[in-house]
Amino acid sequence: MDRNSGQTGSSESGNQIEIRIRRLPTPSQEEARESVYFLPFMDGLTLHRALEYIYNRLDSTVAFRPYRCGKGICMSCLVSVNGKRKQACITFLKPGDRLLIEPDRARPVIRDLVTVP
């Protein structure tokens, strides 16, 4: 498991969110790995905004689709959250959430959370 050096604390705090991202192999890597991030909870935080936070503040190597309609219509942000298909733009997070984010299993994976639409 890959622990992110930019993490903001431990999962012990009830006002934090733990996000583990399953990162699938690339041509230069032989096996999947998980990166773990701790984010501060903010009211109205969606999974997509949390991914933007991770990318902008903690780890710019995480790949996900940056576009979001914000209405749950386009399906470009579809991912697996704790084993269930969810749209990141309309999935609201709660304090203390512990999430495993994986690419949508019904689509071919390009890199990390980016899949073929």
Side-chain angles (χ1 to χ4, degrees):
M1 188 176 316
D2 179 12
R3 280 269 203 229
N4 183 279
S5 61
Q7 64 190 20
T8 61
S10 73
S11 60
E12 299 302 315
S13 172
N15 286 332
Q16 289 195 339
I17 298 165
E18 178 184 333
I19 294 182
R20 291 181 295 136
I21 298 177
R22 170 102 13 101
R23 302 176 79 173
L24 297 181
T26 63
S28 64
Q29 297 171 332
E30 293 185 13
E31 57 186 59
R33 62 189 171 96
E34 285 183 7
S35 295
V36 181
Y37 308 93
F38 296 97
L39 288 69
F41 174 77
M42 296 166 269
D43 284 331
L45 182 65
T46 64
L47 177 55
H48 199 278
R49 292 212 187 267
L51 292 172
E52 289 175 332
Y53 181 95
I54 291 168
Y55 180 82
N56 290 322
R57 296 184 182 198
L58 304 176
D59 184 356
S60 63
T61 68
V62 172
F64 67 100
R65 293 218 181 263
Y67 173 78
R68 70 178 179 286
C69 66
K71 298 178 182 175
I73 297 171
C74 76
M75 305 294 277
S76 69
C77 63
L78 195 61
V79 293
S80 173
V81 179
N82 293 339
K84 296 180 183 174
R85 293 177 91 194
K86 302 271 186 170
Q87 292 168 269
C89 73
I90 59 171
T91 299
F92 288 89
L93 306 182
K94 301 181 299 281
D97 272 349
R98 297 182 70 203
L99 308 173
L100 172 61
I101 311 302
E102 301 174 271
D104 178 33
R105 296 176 186 176
R107 299 176 176 184
V109 176
I110 297 171
R111 183 174 151 225
D112 295 339
L113 303 176
V114 179
T115 57
V116 175

